[in-house]
Amino acid sequence: MKSVLAAVDVGGTSLKMAFVTHDGEIAAKWEIPTNQSDKGAHIISEAAASIKEKQREYNVDIGAVGVGAPGFIDVERGFIYEAVNVGWKSYPLREEMESLLGLPVVVDNDANLAAGGEKWKGAGGGADNLLAVTLGTGVGGGIIAGGSIIHGQSGMAGEIGHITAVREGGARCNCGKNGCLETVASATGIARIGREKAAANPSSSIGGALKAKGSLSAKEIIDAAKNGDHAAEEAVNEAADHLGFALANLCNSLNPETIVIGGGVSKAGDYLVEKITASFKTYAIPKIAAETTIRLAELGNDAGVIGAAWLAAKAYRGEGTAEL
């Protein structure tokens, strides 16, 4: 019977799940819908049932389970203080899953585990000092130092998206502050800035698109910028400058080997990375600017489950443990 690690990446729409070998290869992966009824009370029981079903199907022995979840987490206890996207509040995730599966379970923030996945098998290339940034609807982050995830005093280290980027007059953030990096560098932020630029430049291509449709997506703005639309370029340059500035200040303190950029916005590819890198080099200490590599994430939607397996592998102490 093959020994594997079980991995669960909890999202608002679906649970991405996988069996991963001890050397980080995905042996099987699948998804189930996220059941948000009753404030997410059924999510973990359904995940456990799915793991048991797939365990029988694939005839594997599970050594440990890693779970990546959104929200604020006490990683020592695997306790969710709050995860708005799935309805959890004061939720003992690890305790419940361990009772259902009879296996050791480790839990961490999903952005931290995406960083772990990229470190282990992705763009991080095994770097022991790594900063991962996820540019999606919001801005997520994970910090790895000395080969381990940095959690901070209350488990909230890595909340890169809530660094203040705009000190005065900034847009309101979902966290309750104004001017967070998330409001200017996420897909939502780029779309908002793009709409403002489009309204101020009605003759631009995005100005015409806004008038015709009444809305603009981050992808539309980035695509227009790639095609030379000046208003769209202003929007992308503004977002990239904010992000490069924030990353430079983080790296001046943390001195990572590698920065990994992932999430939906990263699909803009080298075009975006080059702009972020130019800003980063402007604000970073010259030695750090010269020695820090900024790379696009490589694992895509698999980063979370591979990171969850990485966490499980670190906790697992039996034969076949991956050397991490």
Side-chain angles (χ1 to χ4, degrees):
M1 184 179 289
K2 187 174 185 179
S3 176
V4 297
L5 304 155
V8 182
D9 183 9
V10 178
T13 302
S14 67
L15 306 186
K16 296 178 178 65
M17 308 178 74
F19 291 145
V20 181
T21 67
H22 288 268
D23 58 2
E25 300 302 320
I26 293 178
K29 63 179 179 178
W30 68 97
E31 295 185 21
I32 63 173
T34 303
N35 182 352
Q36 295 207 28
S37 64
D38 301 325
K39 297 182 179 180
H42 309 292
I43 293 173
I44 293 306
S45 61
E46 292 181 2
S50 183
I51 287 170
K52 288 179 179 178
E53 178 186 344
K54 294 295 182 179
Q55 182 180 20
R56 290 190 293 270
E57 179 181 343
Y58 289 100
N59 190 31
V60 293
D61 176 59
I62 300 171
V65 183
V67 182
F72 304 131
I73 303 172
D74 177 341
V75 296
E76 293 296 323
R77 295 188 295 150
F79 184 86
I80 311 295
Y81 291 116
E82 186 171 21
V84 175
N85 290 346
V86 293
W88 288 334
K89 195 164 187 176
S90 299
Y91 183 66
L93 191 158
R94 186 180 75 184
E95 181 182 312
E96 179 169 346
M97 182 159 271
E98 285 186 339
S99 70
L100 290 167
L101 292 175
L103 293 166
V105 174
V106 284
V107 180
D108 210 320
N109 178 270
D110 51 0
N112 286 340
L113 293 190
E118 290 291 343
K119 168 201 163 35
W120 194 20
K121 302 300 290 186
D128 280 341
N129 297 286
L130 177 144
L131 176 61
V133 184
T134 304
L135 304 176
T137 304
V139 174
I143 301 167
I144 294 176
S148 297
I149 295 168
I150 299 300
H151 296 107
Q153 175 63 27
S154 58
M156 293 182 65
E159 291 291 342
I160 292 168
H162 301 292
I163 292 171
T164 299
V166 182
R167 292 177 63 187
E168 295 182 6
R172 189 74 169 172
C173 180
N174 288 335
C175 77
K177 297 200 299 125
N178 290 347
C180 290
L181 183 64
E182 189 166 292
T183 68
V184 289
S186 64
T188 307
I190 293 170
R192 181 185 59 78
I193 295 170
R195 289 193 299 271
E196 293 173 357
K197 301 294 184 185
N201 296 272
S203 63
S204 65
S205 68
I206 60 171
L210 180 64
K211 184 177 180 180
K213 296 172 46 183
S215 66
L216 287 168
S217 69
K219 183 180 185 304
E220 289 172 316
I221 293 159
I222 293 169
D223 287 346
K226 287 181 176 180
N227 289 327
D229 180 81
H230 69 280
E233 284 185 293
E234 287 181 5
V236 174
N237 288 343
E238 183 174 331
D241 189 59
H242 279 299
L243 186 57
F245 178 76
L247 293 177
N249 282 308
L250 284 166
C251 291
N252 287 344
S253 298
L254 299 170
N255 189 23
E257 176 184 344
T258 304
I259 300 171
V260 177
I261 307 289
V265 175
S266 71
K267 292 178 181 177
D270 291 339
Y271 173 81
L272 182 64
V273 169
E274 287 168 7
K275 289 182 178 294
I276 294 169
T277 300
S279 174
F280 175 81
K281 288 182 179 295
T282 298
Y283 303 117
I285 295 168
K287 181 172 174 60
I288 287 176
E291 295 179 357
T292 306
T293 303
I294 301 178
R295 295 178 178 155
L296 289 168
E298 295 177 354
L299 299 179
N301 289 333
D302 291 339
V305 291
I306 292 176
W310 173 72
L311 192 68
K314 287 184 67 122
Y316 182 64
R317 291 295 180 261
E319 186 178 348
T321 300
E323 183 175 343
L324 302 172

